[in-house]
Amino acid sequence: MDTGAFLAHVKRQPWYKDQVAHVEAITPRAARYADLDEPLPSALSAALEKLGMARLYVHQARAITTLRGGRNVIVCTPAASGKTLCYNLPVLETLLAEKGARALYLFPTKALAQDQLRAFEGLISAAGVPVHAATYDGDTPSVERSAVRRSAQVLITNPDMLHAGILPNHRAWSRFLRRLRYIVVDEAHTYRGVFGSHVALTLRRLRRLCAFYGASPRFVLSSATIANPEEHAERLTGLPFQVVDEDGAPYGGKDFVFWNPPLVNEARGTRRSANSEASQLFTELVKAGTRTILFARSRRLAELLYVYSRERLQETDKALAKRISPYRAGYTPEDRRRIEKALVQGDLLGVSATNALELGVDIGDLDATVLTGYPGSIASVWQQAGRSGRRGARSLSALVALDNPLDQYFMRHPDIFFGKTCEHALISPSNPHILQPHLLCAAYEFPLTELDIKYFGPEMSGHVAALVEQGLMHERRATWYLSATVAYPAERVNLRSTSNDPYTIVEEGTGALLETVESAVAFFQIHPGAVYLHQGETYLITELDIPGRTAHARATDAPYYTQAIDLTDIRIRKVLEERVVGASRAYLGEVEVVNRVLGYKRKRHVTEELVGAEPLDLPEQPFSTVALWWDIPEPLLNDVAHAGLDLSGGLHAAEHAAIGMLPLYALCDRNDIGGVSTPLHPDTGKPQVFIYDGHPGGVGIAEKGFELLEQLWSATLRAVAECPCEDGCPSCIQSPKCGNNNEPLDKVAARVILRGVLGVMPGAGAASVSG
Ligand SMILES: [Zn+2]
Ligand SMILES: [Zn+2]
């Protein structure tokens, strides 16, 4: 598309108010090809020729060469760069040479597995080779399961099925495991946090069983761009890896627009709604005949944006209003094909979709993407933006900013966004809450010995001793067996949660299980009266049965969301590390967090108007996790006092802003992190700011924050100092999830404190701070 002409057109519109904060012109790139030292089998090269992919891109050739050399590979290139061939070709090459060989493909969702099966079958049929690939997941009918187990050469499944269905039944799978040559882990960046840590241990159990059956398969991981591909691959599998990240795919170039909704009230920091701005931009693109995808953060918002946009189009062109459609996760493959086809043929011009779509699912070539709000990670921005511009033509992407610290920070510092390598994907397979249940699963598969330290790390012995103490295992001649009372441990371990006894949300009437919620956050999210978002659908929690660990929910159209009001205490259990940072001292340690949810508020969407508040009577919830905290040096306390500033308000504001900025460094959601600030902490007798990992046992977020604390403070200081508001707003120090109703907050004190801990002289501008 002619992006320049479109932007010029937008700037002439009466509603244009300098929303374009930045345009990054990304230059086109020609394809770079490479040849293999030893060509592919002729059937495969013929198939590639037939599919119009006669030559291999540099990264594809390098991945294949590395695998042929017997090493594990992680391919870390952008969306649509042809990553699947990096594993499909070497797998097929092996299967053609060795009929009995097997490969296991893991995808994070069933929908992706289905899509990939289709792609793989396309390649097989072009090659005209008899290779049997099949999916194996919860949807596979039981009558077909044993046939799949017996004859599938390429088995496509998900980590949950591997964990609970395949590994515990490894005797039935022994033939498959013995012949396993490749393990493919696609979308490896999605395996982070709690889920990633569980998957890491599941993969160690898989390796252990492969070794038991005498196989040592190679791993191929593919990932969106992350800052630490090698480290992530090694922590996920426990094996050494070679990184392939040189992208040889052609690129048509892109204009990437940072779009900041105009300020309505500068002193209060209020901006025009990002939803309405995004819909405006979307309809303008559709009017220009541009095939566009509009991303929203939830299914409800995707629907709302569709309705707004349709109304807008109806005012000018009724026919055009019929050429947009919502497009959601949960659609059947047939529905997706239908929409994709309509987009390709030009019957449809625009779709509004949820973020869920960013994950691999192929919907064809588009010209423009509009992102409503920063989706939480730079990696996700590139994945969503990568949905437009696949064919090598110039494309447009726009990020419409929300009013939170990170979105606004990027609007002011596009150089940081475009210059930054993506976030670190974090996992913590040594988290005891995650490791111990997997040790039980491993012991069920076959008894543990000292040799298994090679899979589960040196901490294994201590945890095994703890499990013996709890009566869950027993020892005989340096071998640890599962106790007879533990029936089928995998059944009790949910890969997407850290607690062993999570709460279950059940739909009223149908009794359908919607999802499980960790007990640590249950009272915040599923208290009676809470509005809960499940796969973009809105539910009202009607009842919470605490002993039964069940919440009852019913679908609702409530025009509001709910927010818990809570009181949080934090106690230091053990300091793990401490160091001097800037002019302060910082600590990393084990803490106990005690939350008490006191009530909740109902707030209207978009306008944020308070529509009601209710008290709740819920018990306290203690959990142990990892936190970082820091001291406020004595002279700084004096500065704050002399300036007549509010110390508590300053600490609280600095805590909120730092929590808002931390996802810049660690691949996590703001909701994964909690904080406590206090002018006098009972364990230290000093003023303190704590930032803790919201998952019991921690998943590495606090560690990364501790390691990069100076950078975190600098970025936080900039976010606060550069915000044009007077006394604080959602773009700097207010937090949407503050349990204390954003009180007290003192923006000036926060600035003084952040400068002070960094050791920046008073009067020096925030801009002089590096980072
Ligand atoms: Zn502000
Ligand atoms: Zn707060």
Side-chain angles (χ1 to χ4, degrees):
M1 67 175 289
D2 187 346
T3 49
F6 177 76
L7 287 174
H9 160 79
V10 161
K11 288 182 178 177
R12 285 194 302 269
Q13 300 310 305
W15 46 264
Y16 182 75
K17 300 269 182 296
D18 286 325
Q19 285 98 326
V20 175
H22 178 78
V23 181
E24 183 81 6
I26 304 167
T27 45
R29 216 174 36 230
R32 281 176 307 134
Y33 301 103
D35 293 319
L36 295 170
D37 292 339
E38 208 178 299
L40 290 166
S42 54
L44 293 183
S45 6
L48 290 178
E49 193 114 18
K50 228 187 265 177
L51 296 168
M53 301 182 284
R55 298 200 63 195
L56 294 175
Y57 298 134
V58 181
H59 59 281
Q60 294 169 333
R62 274 199 52 204
I64 294 168
T65 307
T66 312
L67 284 167
R68 280 174 170 176
R71 280 176 299 170
N72 304 308
V73 170
I74 175 163
V75 182
C76 189
T77 54
S81 53
K83 269 184 282 213
T84 49
L85 283 185
C86 295
Y87 52 78
N88 281 340
L89 292 174
V91 164
L92 278 173
E93 182 176 55
T94 301
L95 292 180
L96 293 181
E98 194 191 334
K99 256 210 151 32
R102 295 288 184 263
L104 177 71
Y105 284 24
L106 288 177
F107 290 92
T109 65
K110 282 188 276 187
L112 269 179
Q114 294 295 345
D115 270 29
Q116 289 305 318
L117 174 63
R118 245 186 318 275
F120 190 75
E121 283 174 339
L123 185 60
I124 298 171
S125 91
V129 291
V131 170
H132 179 205
T135 55
Y136 187 82
D137 54 38
D139 296 344
T140 312
S142 17
V143 291
E144 287 172 23
R145 291 191 174 189
S146 69
V148 169
R149 198 155 56 213
R150 220 173 24 248
S151 64
Q153 292 162 282
V154 175
L155 188 83
I156 305 178
T157 185
N158 55 60
D160 313 80
M161 195 66 185
L162 177 64
H163 152 71
I166 297 176
L167 299 181
N169 299 307
H170 62 91
R171 282 175 188 89
W173 288 89
S174 59
R175 232 167 76 104
F176 179 86
L177 292 170
R178 189 172 300 125
R179 297 160 162 206
L180 194 57
R181 296 291 173 271
Y182 282 103
I183 298 168
V184 172
V185 182
D186 203 353
E187 306 278 352
H189 62 282
T190 60
Y191 300 125
R192 57 182 195 253
V194 170
F195 183 39
S197 308
H198 275 297
V199 171
L201 288 160
T202 304
L203 291 175
R204 281 162 177 73
R205 283 162 49 206
L206 171 62
R207 281 180 48 216
R208 180 173 177 256
L209 288 172
C210 287
F212 179 76
Y213 290 109
S216 58
R218 259 154 292 160
F219 277 86
V220 193
L221 271 56
S222 96
S223 165
T225 320
I226 50 174
N228 58 339
E230 187 177 355
E231 177 193 64
H232 185 56
E234 293 185 358
R235 300 196 73 189
L236 203 54
T237 61
L239 292 169
F241 265 79
Q242 184 82 30
V243 178
V244 170
D245 57 3
E246 194 187 359
D247 178 18
Y251 188 59
K254 182 186 282 294
D255 279 315
F256 206 130
V257 180
F258 274 17
W259 186 275
N260 205 3
L263 276 164
V264 180
N265 179 330
E266 186 160 319
R268 294 174 58 193
T270 23
R271 293 180 179 275
R272 207 142 80 189
S273 138
N275 294 328
S276 127
E277 289 284 308
S279 148
Q280 179 102 59
L281 198 54
F282 175 65
T283 49
E284 215 55 44
L285 282 159
V286 168
K287 280 195 229 162
T290 315
R291 283 172 310 165
T292 306
I293 182 162
L294 169 64
F295 283 106
R297 298 199 70 176
S298 69
R299 190 184 291 190
R300 190 184 157 78
L301 276 176
E303 290 287 350
L304 270 177
L305 287 175
Y306 162 69
V307 173
Y308 286 168
S309 306
R310 192 185 53 196
E311 280 169 7
R312 227 179 220 133
L313 288 170
Q314 262 162 356
E315 285 165 18
T316 49
D317 186 341
K318 287 214 157 41
L320 214 48
K322 294 202 177 77
R323 295 175 68 192
I324 62 172
S325 157
Y327 183 76
R328 300 175 306 221
Y331 277 3
T332 61
E334 294 71 41
D335 283 338
R336 285 201 257 124
R337 293 290 99 72
R338 190 174 46 73
I339 293 181
E340 183 186 339
K341 205 167 146 206
L343 273 168
V344 170
Q345 292 173 342
D347 300 335
L348 270 183
L349 275 171
V351 291
S352 80
T354 58
N355 290 356
L357 254 192
E358 78 183 57
L359 220 58
V361 174
D362 191 7
I363 59 158
D365 303 319
L366 297 161
D367 303 309
T369 33
V370 177
L371 283 63
T372 316
Y374 178 64
S377 74
I378 291 176
S380 289
V381 171
W382 288 113
Q383 281 219 308
Q384 293 183 5
R387 290 303 191 160
S388 58
R390 294 189 167 210
R391 273 193 192 139
R394 195 160 188 85
S395 64
L396 183 89
S397 288
L399 171 64
V400 180
L402 298 174
D403 56 350
N404 65 48
L406 210 45
D407 284 45
Q408 291 301 318
Y409 183 75
F410 286 139
M411 289 296 126
R412 286 193 300 269
H413 300 286
D415 51 316
I416 290 177
F417 179 92
F418 290 102
K420 192 173 149 56
T421 45
C422 297
E423 301 83 356
H424 293 81
L426 304 176
I427 55 171
S428 177
S430 57
N431 177 329
H433 298 264
I434 299 175
L435 177 54
Q436 288 194 5
H438 282 278
L439 288 174
L440 293 178
C441 295
Y444 175 91
E445 283 144 20
F446 67 95
L448 291 163
T449 68
E450 288 290 334
L451 294 175
D452 291 314
I453 286 179
K454 127 171 133 204
Y455 301 106
F456 302 110
E459 1 3 292
M460 183 187 108
S461 315
H463 290 300
V464 166
L467 292 166
V468 169
E469 190 137 310
Q470 292 167 50
L472 299 172
M473 277 191 193
H474 60 269
E475 196 225 304
R476 208 170 52 222
R477 275 172 292 194
T479 305
W480 288 272
Y481 298 85
L482 201 64
S483 299
T485 47
V486 188
Y488 192 80
E491 202 174 59
R492 291 180 48 85
V493 181
N494 179 343
L495 297 194
R496 300 174 199 247
S497 144
T498 41
S499 42
N500 298 329
D501 45 4
Y503 283 77
T504 306
I505 309 180
V506 174
E507 188 173 30
E508 265 183 17
T510 66
L513 189 152
L514 298 177
E515 65 180 283
T516 57
V517 173
E518 297 201 20
S519 50
V521 295
F523 293 170
F524 288 89
Q525 301 182 357
I526 53 168
H527 57 75
V531 168
Y532 190 83
L533 215 58
H534 165 70
Q535 291 183 356
E537 216 68 85
T538 315
Y539 288 87
L540 179 73
I541 305 296
T542 51
E543 190 195 332
L544 180 66
D545 168 9
I546 297 174
R549 302 194 99 68
T550 307
H552 299 270
R554 120 174 129 233
T556 177
D557 280 328
Y560 60 85
Y561 64 95
T562 53
Q563 201 177 8
I565 303 164
D566 74 298
L567 209 60
T568 301
D569 276 329
I570 194 163
R571 300 306 297 261
I572 299 167
R573 290 284 168 254
K574 188 171 159 198
V575 175
L576 298 170
E577 269 182 73
E578 58 176 286
R579 68 186 182 96
V580 172
V581 187
S584 168
R585 190 168 253 303
Y587 309 82
L588 179 76
E590 292 170 9
V591 294
E592 183 169 68
V593 175
V594 181
N595 293 125
R596 171 145 208 178
V597 175
L598 306 170
Y600 68 98
K601 289 181 290 187
R602 283 193 284 259
K603 287 173 121 181
R604 206 173 289 283
H605 284 295
V606 188
T607 63
E608 305 289 318
E609 179 199 342
L610 186 68
V611 282
E614 307 285 341
L616 288 167
D617 184 23
L618 293 168
E620 279 184 353
Q621 283 237 294
F623 72 99
S624 54
T625 184
V626 183
L628 69 97
W629 63 96
W630 65 82
D631 291 340
I632 312 298
E634 202 68 44
L636 179 56
L637 287 174
N638 295 335
D639 289 350
V640 173
H642 282 144
L645 298 169
D646 172 14
L647 176 65
S648 303
L651 296 172
H652 189 199
E655 171 218 317
H656 280 181
I659 289 173
M661 296 305 286
L662 186 49
L664 187 55
Y665 302 101
L667 208 42
C668 65
D669 190 87
R670 187 172 172 159
N671 292 316
D672 294 335
I673 322 165
V676 169
S677 53
T678 164
L680 181 70
H681 192 267
D683 293 331
T684 64
K686 290 186 289 194
Q688 224 81 69
V689 176
F690 291 86
I691 295 179
Y692 63 85
D693 194 316
H695 304 281
V699 292
I701 299 169
E703 285 89 339
K704 192 49 83 177
F706 178 73
E707 183 190 321
L708 301 175
L709 189 54
E710 200 148 17
Q711 292 175 51
L712 174 65
W713 282 342
S714 299
T716 307
L717 174 57
R718 285 174 133 193
V720 175
E722 294 170 357
C723 190
C725 70
E726 273 169 17
D727 299 325
C729 71
S731 299
C732 55
I733 59 171
Q734 291 177 4
S735 162
K737 49 165 278 194
C738 180
N740 227 11
N741 208 16
N742 281 304
E743 275 164 17
L745 289 178
D746 186 328
K747 185 177 171 181
V748 179
R751 224 159 64 190
V752 171
I753 289 168
L754 287 164
R755 280 212 181 105
V757 290
L758 276 162
V760 182
M761 289 297 121
S768 66
V769 176
S770 65

